[in-house]
Amino acid sequence: MARLPPAHCTKIFVQRDYCDGTAVKFQTKFPQELEDRVERHIFEETVHELNAFYLEAETLSTRICCENCLACLTAYVVFLCMDTHYEKVLKKIGRFIQEQNNSIYIPRGLLLIDPAERGLRVLEICILVDDNSR
Amino acid sequence: MSVVEVMSTAKKWEVFPGKNKFCCNGRLIMGNQTAIFYVTLFLIVIVTGLFFGSDCPYLAVRLSPAIPVAGILLFLFVISFLLHTSCTDPGIIPRATKEEAADLEKQTGGPSAVCGRDLPLRTRELTINGVLFKLKYCQTCRIFRPPRASHCSICDNCVERFDHHCPWVGNCIGKRNYRYFYLFLVSVSMHCIFICAFSVTTLVLISIENENGFVAALKTSPGSIVEAVIAFFSLWSVIGLAGFHTYLVSCNLTTNEDIKKNSASKSDRRNPFSRGSLCSNYCEVICGPTPPRSTTFTR
């Protein structure tokens, strides 16, 4: 279950990187506000993993083409009964973020918000106030 | 319940800032002006109804029962694609939260409004596949619009891969529903050709059988001529649009970009989003991965 951040915590926003087009990819530039809170290589690895997941969701493959052709032949009624490949990958990303929060970020007083909660537009990082984090 | 309690328990669709209309507790989302969509639906249903009422009973016996079966299948596809186009989130980009907008203000320098003076136009430049792009700041949504996105003034939202706002389907055409729109155009063109062809066939066969001439056939089956005329006049616009969008899909362009391309200088005309070949562009636009809606409106 996604954790809700405290109402008035400081938030850091990692914006999308559009240099390779409109595919979902976040900037790997290390935010200054995280300098003393988390190691640079750990943060960069998290963002790299996230970008790899989104690449998996958005890459055009034979499997995805077949999935969409089949859906087209059923007038897209089949998508009312099953998740698309993209939705399955987003669920994997949700589990990944939860695991990263539990093992790395929450112990350091930070909380990653799943970009899906923000329309895949931004990666939001909350700086939790120590006495409010439980 | 107090005002604060009501606001905190309100579902996202109830407090959505855009002008969209919602149905089924936020599961279906339509554009702002939907009157013409109902006209489209009405025309398709009436013409198909006339076809099944006046031509199918005769053609099923005289030619083949496969004709009404094909007609039903085509009708179901047309309606499904139309409803998918009209009731799907086209790729609405959620507006920035207060904190995000403040963070962007800090990065771009300066407050958002200073004593009623007009804001300087804010843009961010980047290069995508060797082509220079300017990301524009949307004053309404308080975000830098992603490439290919545009703000629809009718629905008051920024939409990803914005093509155009289509009054006939009552919704914006964007990243998430473009393929449904394209398939709707193709299927409705086929449906118009099918109805036109078979209603004329019915009239011709009746006039040959009764040997009383075409005018007598018209009196025997008046529904046929009504549906043939409507289908015939609709045919040219839908086929034209389907052809135009086939060209756009093959180049991986949107209607919005095609219009802007014609007014751009020769040096900016390369499309950085094209995959290089007709087939790859087609596959990406029609069969590419389907991103989910950006916000779950039912919560």
Side-chain angles (χ1 to χ4, degrees), chain A residues 104-117:
Chain A
I104 299 172
Y105 292 92
I106 291 175
R108 288 168 170 78
L110 299 168
L111 181 70
L112 294 183
I113 305 296
D114 189 342
E117 301 278 327

Side-chain angles (χ1 to χ4, degrees), chain B residues 70-84:
Chain B
I72 288 172
L73 281 175
L74 211 40
F75 173 70
L76 290 174
F77 271 89
V78 167
I79 294 296
S80 177
F81 293 141
L82 174 62
L83 292 177
H84 271 94

